[in-house]
Amino acid sequence: MGLSSNSIIHFTKNFSSLKGILEGNFKIKYCRETIHSTLKSIDVLIPMVSFCDIPFSQILNHIDSYGSYGLGLKKTWAEKNGLNPVLYLDKSSSLSNNISVHLISRLIDGKNKITDLDENEKRTLDIVRYIKNYQGNLVRFRKKIILNYRFSDEREWRYVLDTSHESLIFGNIINFDNNENRIKSAKAKNNTKIENERLAFTPEDISYIIVKAESERDVLIRSLERIKGKYPHDEVKRLTSRILSVEQLKTDF
């Protein structure tokens, strides 16, 4: 079996969030990425939606870290909408140092907002929106910390706002120094600018819907039936066979 699948999956922490995605598409939100190198670390807020490219046989660890509810979409949908796999960088590599110091630092050069950059500088920095650390500490729900987590195992695909949103492709590029209040404030301020941005999909694009427990299957079906306009009866019937539970994944894959 290959390491990749024909679908990419977005995971979320609860049933309500999954229902919101099914009803109103993916909401674009700013996420913090800290790009580490041996010379310098830089914080970036990136407006995105993330997915993983992992077969079900290897997905249980990812569920433990990111939530027991998910939506799988066909990779053809991902390609049509401009998603791209991320570039994983080891902090000790020369590429990591070149990007963090020579690319980012020289372009920023004392500026702390993307709006301070000219158009060519913004386009040059576009690669930064697809960078992730190869390994590091993962902070998840309720401040759960997983030490030395290998992010590359996620095989992440990422959607980011295209460069026509030139004032929005980054939030502030600053060092938050792990100050939770500053991080939350910066995210909230930037998210208000893109609150109406969505990454859309159709029922035909859906490969799988994942819920935590078998008992939630019927609840999900009823929820789909109540969403007006997007899920006709025939589509709900088709999707019924594509609903999987984490309980089922633990025993069947």
Side-chain angles (χ1 to χ4, degrees):
M1 179 184 291
L3 293 177
S4 299
S5 66
N6 291 322
S7 301
I8 57 173
I9 307 174
H10 175 85
F11 281 97
T12 189
K13 61 183 178 180
N14 56 47
F15 187 91
S16 178
S17 297
L18 174 62
K19 182 182 174 184
I21 294 169
L22 288 165
E23 185 171 1
N25 298 308
F26 293 101
K27 191 172 185 179
I28 317 303
K29 292 184 178 180
Y30 279 88
C31 297
R32 178 196 183 195
E33 288 286 354
T34 303
I35 302 169
H36 295 292
S37 73
T38 55
L39 299 178
K40 190 170 186 177
S41 295
I42 295 176
D43 282 323
V44 189
L45 292 180
I46 303 171
M48 64 169 141
V49 184
S50 295
F51 301 80
C52 67
D53 179 16
I54 308 172
F56 283 123
S57 59
Q58 302 176 31
I59 213 164
L60 291 179
N61 287 337
H62 192 82
I63 288 173
D64 289 340
S65 300
Y66 285 88
S68 298
Y69 300 86
L71 186 63
L73 293 136
K74 297 174 183 176
K75 204 166 277 184
T76 51
W77 168 85
E79 293 164 353
K80 180 176 66 177
N81 283 277
L83 280 75
N84 199 76
V86 303
L87 171 63
Y88 291 100
L89 292 181
D90 183 82
K91 67 179 182 180
S92 300
S93 69
S94 59
L95 178 59
S96 180
N97 286 324
N98 285 334
I99 287 177
S100 65
V101 176
H102 299 290
L103 176 61
I104 300 176
S105 296
R106 287 189 180 182
L107 285 179
I108 299 302
D109 191 23
K111 305 167 187 176
N112 67 358
K113 294 183 179 179
I114 193 66
T115 49
D116 294 334
L117 305 178
D118 65 35
E119 302 308 316
N120 288 330
E121 289 172 330
K122 292 173 188 175
R123 290 184 173 87
T124 301
L125 279 174
D126 191 30
I127 189 175
V128 178
R129 301 192 299 163
Y130 295 94
I131 288 176
K132 196 171 186 72
N133 298 315
Y134 171 76
Q135 183 170 295
N137 296 337
L138 173 65
V139 181
R140 292 306 295 164
F141 313 127
R142 298 178 182 176
K143 298 184 179 180
K144 172 185 176 183
I145 300 177
I146 302 174
L147 300 178
N148 298 318
Y149 179 84
R150 189 161 293 175
F151 294 103
S152 62
D153 289 344
E154 298 175 356
R155 302 176 61 85
E156 180 184 342
W157 282 58
R158 185 177 289 178
Y159 172 83
V160 299
L161 288 176
D162 64 49
T163 50
S164 64
H165 300 77
E166 273 137 354
S167 65
L168 303 174
I169 60 174
F170 291 102
N172 289 353
I173 303 177
I174 58 177
N175 195 323
F176 291 104
D177 296 320
N178 292 319
N179 185 311
E180 291 294 328
N181 290 330
R182 292 184 71 200
I183 296 168
K184 288 180 181 178
S185 176
K187 284 183 178 180
K189 181 179 179 180
N190 283 283
N191 280 331
T192 59
K193 302 175 185 177
I194 58 170
E195 58 185 356
N196 295 321
E197 295 288 343
R198 296 291 186 275
L199 173 59
F201 58 90
T202 66
E204 293 84 359
D205 296 318
I206 298 174
S207 300
Y208 302 100
I209 306 175
I210 299 172
V211 293
K212 185 175 183 178
E214 281 291 313
S215 59
E216 294 174 306
R217 188 186 296 269
D218 289 341
V219 180
L220 178 60
I221 293 171
R222 290 195 295 272
S223 296
L224 291 173
E225 291 172 338
R226 294 190 188 109
I227 299 173
K228 295 181 179 180
K230 189 166 186 178
Y231 300 96
H233 175 74
D234 289 347
E235 285 298 335
V236 173
K237 186 176 180 181
R238 181 183 70 86
L239 290 174
T240 298
S241 64
R242 304 198 172 202
I243 300 172
L244 299 171
S245 71
V246 174
E247 291 174 348
Q248 182 181 2
L249 291 173
K250 287 181 177 179
T251 58
D252 293 353
F253 292 88

